[in-house]
Amino acid sequence: VRRSMKGVVKISNPADRVTVIGSLMNLALSAAKFTVGMSCHSTALVSDGVHSLSDLLSDFITLMTVRVGRLPPNKSHPNGFQKCEAYGSLALAIAIIGTGISVGFGACTKILQLFNTRHIGIPSLITATANTTPGVGALVVAFLSV
């Protein structure tokens, strides 16, 4: 990482540059999906925003473990630091499992809320669903994020 004369950080390694650009994109996507999903009552878009945030976390884990894995061997680590990448992969797997559990729990909670109305009949279920149907904004953000 170098600083240019204008204070802009320049990343010299192409792999790191791609990871940082991807992180910035995931941050913007996550914020947009979560904000629009909440305002348009779209559980799917909120879940997708959480997923994009987990992608951001995985970008940071990847960036850090690859940087540490590139360090040269020293006296205390004569074989180098390549195993750090395996630990990073384990952390990514745990993050993905945690995100899946979180999204699944949120979806189950939303489904149970629909069924916990006083009148369980089909007409009331349709009315409850119609009152929380996502708007056009959710569709636009979902389309742009693909």
Side-chain angles (χ1 to χ4, degrees), residues 12-100:
S12 55
N13 187 317
D16 289 350
R17 190 177 314 118
V18 168
T19 304
V20 168
I21 291 170
S23 297
L24 294 173
M25 294 299 292
N26 281 330
L27 182 62
L29 273 174
S30 180
K33 289 175 183 179
F34 190 79
T35 302
V36 173
M38 290 298 285
S39 65
C40 293
H41 308 289
S42 172
T43 306
L45 206 51
V46 170
S47 297
D48 206 21
V50 171
H51 179 252
S52 292
L53 197 60
S54 74
D55 286 346
L56 180 65
L57 175 66
S58 69
D59 288 342
F60 284 125
I61 291 171
T62 301
L63 190 61
M64 297 312 292
T65 57
V66 168
R67 281 188 177 185
V68 172
R70 281 192 223 133
L71 292 175
N74 58 26
K75 287 183 182 180
S76 61
H77 298 89
N79 294 324
F81 294 87
Q82 291 84 14
K83 284 187 180 181
C84 185
E85 292 181 24
Y87 293 132
S89 297
L90 178 63
L92 289 176
I94 291 170
I96 290 169
I97 290 169
T99 301

Side-chain angles (χ1 to χ4, degrees), residues 88-137:
S89 297
L90 178 63
L92 289 176
I94 291 170
I96 290 169
I97 290 169
T99 301
I101 290 170
S102 172
V103 169
F105 182 76
C108 288
T109 302
K110 188 80 168 183
I111 290 169
L112 290 175
Q113 286 174 353
L114 285 174
F115 284 110
N116 282 336
T117 59
R118 287 187 175 186
H119 305 287
I120 288 294
I122 297 296
S124 64
L125 187 59
I126 292 171
T127 303
T129 305
N131 290 336
T132 60
T133 301
V136 175

